Amino acid sequence: MEHSVLIVEDDELLAGNIQTYLERKNFEALVCHSAEEALELLRSQLPDVLLTDNSLPGMSGHELIRQVSASAPQVKPIMMTGYGNIEDAVQAMKAGAFHYLTKPVALAELKLLLDKALEAQRLEHKLDFYQSRAAQDAGLAALIGESPAMLEVKSMVRQLLDAESCMVDAELPAVLIEGETGTGKELIARALHFDGARGSGPFVEFNCASIPAHLLEAELFGHEKGAFTDAKDRRLGLVEAADGGTLFLDEVGEIDLVLQAKLLKLLEDRTIRRIGSVKERKVNLRIISATNCNLEQMVQQGRFRRDLFFRLRIISIRVPRLYARGDDILLLARHFLRQHGKRYGKPGLQFSAEAEDLLLGYSWPGNVRELRNMLEQTALLAQGNLVNAAQLHICPTLVEDHGSRYRDPGNGHGGEPEAERDMVIRMLDKTDWNVTKSARLLGLTRDMLRYRIEKLGLVRPDRRH
């Protein structure tokens, strides 16, 4: 017998009939004749479904459902009530019932309702599994980096989480995360959610640039049946799906002005209205948004609402480019190489000194995402444990500043150290040995360029004698 049902009914004949029917349908069916007896049984075993009458001797079915919902939320309660007592059914749903049946009970209808309850339970278990798995890869611990730029980001996230833990209400401030594509803005959002007060609630992520603009509203706010041509059923939007948790709007700058007004209303009133509905619904969620656009410039150009901009950025966090994180590049590279090596059955992969120099010297226009994806290919194709510079398939032609391109060691041009030396000297001469300007043109931090100057033994021409 796969699933169990606890029947709480003081009519012994009806209880016996339901029990016999369910056992024939391969359910384990237990019977109690009072709520008190059921609560005693629930101390030792938990059924999948609780099927209870409302009118019981002693404690009512409403109170039984209320107590079971509080102590064992995984159990799906179904209320049986007399025909015409819809008020009982409404009260049961408020107490936590999954659904209700009117008496006399149609056994075929009961079976269908049990199947729905068990399917809902299965989906909740599946959601809990993915939620817990997602939480394992999230939080502050997932933010790799010890550079000053990343320490500043982590410190700000930690301060925000500490402040939110002391808040007297549950309405957490909106956060806007800014940074180039591939810098890890989603990781910041996940850290704020899973390490914060809403960590046990849903984390719903939506990329605003991923679907056409005319479908965005239905995706976010849902729709009623018949609201438009293809609306064959009622559908909940992502905003309602995030109720009790966090809605993460990635690429929020891609939302058009009409939808921006509705997003502003959501932020201000915490209410939504599905397409085709006249009724507004309250939601309780936290909104985190991210963008790689210059929203201030878009506000000045009239492409983004000023009031929405200020409402989204109550807290603003800027994620630095990868090249600005210095030796964090190597921390991340070793992490990804180890991760991909484990995945492809190649533990023990490590970089040569020349490979690490190339990793540090390249300006990473695609940021962390480019590094991670490039190293997956590297791990997949690696022949031995040592990864050399020629095995790093970087994309130098994508670097915005042509002066910052390193020679690709796999393109047939040898002498990578000499090429590095010539390039650094050429750029220093171009800027009259202004280290700050040269570093910016090369796509390096100032400290990284100073390290190369010392490593290569370079001296300014007018100081060589």
Side-chain angles (χ1 to χ4, degrees), residues 17-267:
N17 288 339
I18 294 175
Q19 182 181 35
T20 300
Y21 173 78
L22 292 180
E23 287 176 347
R24 287 175 180 170
K25 295 297 181 180
N26 208 34
F27 284 89
E28 179 186 0
L30 307 172
V31 175
C32 292
H33 299 298
S34 70
E36 290 80 4
E37 184 184 348
L39 288 174
E40 184 65 31
L41 180 68
L42 287 168
R43 292 180 181 177
S44 58
Q45 52 186 304
L46 286 179
D48 295 300
V49 179
L50 170 69
L51 179 64
T52 180
D53 187 16
N54 181 38
S55 300
L56 296 169
M59 182 186 295
S60 70
H62 285 150
E63 182 58 29
L64 173 61
I65 289 177
R66 187 174 290 107
Q67 291 198 27
V68 171
S69 297
S71 61
Q74 67 271 40
V75 176
K76 291 294 180 186
I78 296 175
M79 169 69 79
M80 294 183 293
T81 184
Y83 181 77
N85 294 332
I86 300 301
E87 296 82 1
D88 287 347
V90 172
Q91 291 301 317
M93 301 293 274
K94 288 181 178 179
F98 173 76
H99 220 295
Y100 67 92
L101 283 169
T102 55
K103 292 182 176 181
V105 174
L107 295 177
E109 183 182 352
L110 170 60
K111 175 64 167 57
L112 289 175
L113 196 51
L114 288 174
D115 289 342
K116 287 183 179 180
L118 292 170
E119 176 63 13
Q121 188 182 67
R122 186 187 68 81
L123 291 174
E124 287 173 5
H125 288 164
K126 186 176 180 181
L127 179 62
D128 288 342
F129 167 75
Y130 284 115
Q131 187 83 352
S132 61
R133 192 172 74 170
Q136 292 174 1
D137 300 324
L140 272 169
L143 302 180
I144 298 174
E146 298 301 327
S147 64
M150 279 306 295
L151 289 177
E152 183 178 348
V153 170
K154 289 197 278 189
S155 174
M156 187 170 187
V157 171
R158 193 174 291 109
Q159 289 180 49
L160 180 55
L161 290 171
D162 289 344
E164 289 175 354
S165 67
C166 301
M167 290 180 64
V168 295
D169 59 50
E171 189 171 321
L172 303 179
V175 178
L176 176 63
I177 306 170
E178 300 174 278
E180 293 184 5
T181 297
T183 50
K185 299 185 289 294
E186 179 193 348
L187 288 178
I188 306 295
R190 287 179 173 274
L192 289 171
H193 172 77
F194 287 106
D195 281 353
R198 294 178 178 266
S200 59
F203 178 83
V204 177
E205 178 183 356
F206 179 62
N207 189 314
C208 301
S210 63
I211 65 173
H214 66 281
L215 298 178
L216 276 175
E217 182 178 359
E219 194 73 20
L220 283 174
F221 298 107
H223 58 75
E224 297 292 340
K225 181 179 180 180
F228 47 85
T229 304
D230 294 327
K232 295 180 174 59
D233 296 292
R234 171 187 290 176
R235 181 179 176 184
L236 299 184
L238 295 179
V239 173
E240 287 183 86
D243 197 10
T246 298
L247 177 64
F248 175 48
L249 297 175
D250 200 5
E251 307 301 350
V252 72
E254 301 296 327
I255 295 180
D256 64 29
L257 288 169
V258 174
L259 196 53
Q260 286 177 30
K262 296 194 174 186
L263 182 56
L264 179 64
K265 179 175 174 57
L266 170 63
L267 284 159

Side-chain angles (χ1 to χ4, degrees), residues 339-380:
Q339 190 178 69
H340 293 317
K342 181 180 179 181
R343 179 183 177 190
Y344 291 109
K346 298 178 181 180
L349 291 177
Q350 55 184 332
F351 297 109
S352 68
E354 292 77 12
E356 291 192 346
D357 282 343
L358 181 58
L359 289 167
L360 285 172
Y362 180 55
S363 61
W364 300 106
N367 293 295
V368 180
R369 185 180 294 125
E370 180 188 1
L371 174 64
R372 183 190 64 220
N373 294 343
M374 183 272 291
L375 288 176
E376 180 167 5
Q377 177 179 334
T378 300
L380 176 63

